Amino acid sequence: MLSRKYSIDKRRPFGDSTPFEAVGRDAAMQLAMAGGDITLVLDDTGKILDASANSAEFPGFEEWIGREWFDTVTVESQAKLMEMLASARKGQVQHWRHVNHIGDQGDLPVSYVVVNAADSRFIAIGRNMREAAALQQRL
């Protein structure tokens, strides 16, 4: 299970930021998509502006575009989303948080971290936790 050990708050920062200064849009999009199984672009209110995922792993995720992120998760997960967005707005270090999306075949567990982008937008990078959840249930 992803936890605070995957947070950036105790990691040594890069010594040379030069390679990152030249990162363009294409490279930034590729980094965001490579960082997780699902990536959401959100506005300041939590509305999903865009999304990228494998539709076999996340069936129907395209229908989330234009909807509130809160409306795609279970009631129990909504408070976590609000906390993550509030922390991102303040520029605080983010930690991975487990939420459950509502799916046709049951809940879809995803662990997210939210990054403050530009122009009051946020990028939510998510990792599919289905296998970990299935293992927990078996135990």
Side-chain angles (χ1 to χ4, degrees):
M1 174 96 67
L2 298 171
S3 64
R4 291 184 190 270
K5 77 177 186 175
Y6 292 99
S7 173
I8 63 169
D9 62 343
K10 293 186 180 176
R11 290 190 186 187
R12 177 192 174 276
F14 290 99
D16 180 11
S17 66
T18 306
F20 300 98
E21 293 171 6
V23 171
R25 286 182 187 209
D26 290 342
M29 284 191 301
Q30 290 174 7
L31 284 169
M33 291 187 308
D37 299 310
I38 184 166
T39 306
L40 307 175
V41 178
L42 311 165
D43 72 6
D44 192 35
T45 66
K47 182 178 181 179
I48 300 172
L49 302 174
D50 205 351
S52 174
N54 180 329
S55 57
E57 288 186 47
F58 296 90
F61 84 93
E62 297 96 341
E63 297 169 13
W64 298 351
I65 298 171
R67 293 180 56 197
E68 296 296 323
W69 192 21
F70 309 108
D71 295 337
T72 69
V73 300
T74 61
V75 174
E76 298 83 15
S77 296
Q78 290 176 347
K80 294 177 187 179
L81 298 187
M82 288 189 282
E83 291 170 8
M84 286 190 288
L85 283 171
S87 294
R89 283 184 197 107
K90 295 176 187 173
Q92 297 173 335
V93 173
Q94 294 289 303
H95 302 286
W96 291 93
R97 300 291 302 268
H98 176 106
V99 302
N100 290 307
H101 282 281
I102 302 165
D104 292 338
Q105 301 165 1
D107 291 350
L108 174 58
V110 179
S111 190
Y112 279 105
V113 65
V114 178
V115 179
N116 191 339
D119 301 327
S120 299
R121 293 188 181 170
F122 302 93
I123 299 171
I125 299 172
R127 295 185 178 161
N128 186 342
M129 299 302 292
R130 242 185 258 150
E131 291 179 18
L135 181 61
Q136 285 178 338
Q137 287 179 348
R138 281 190 295 208
L139 293 174

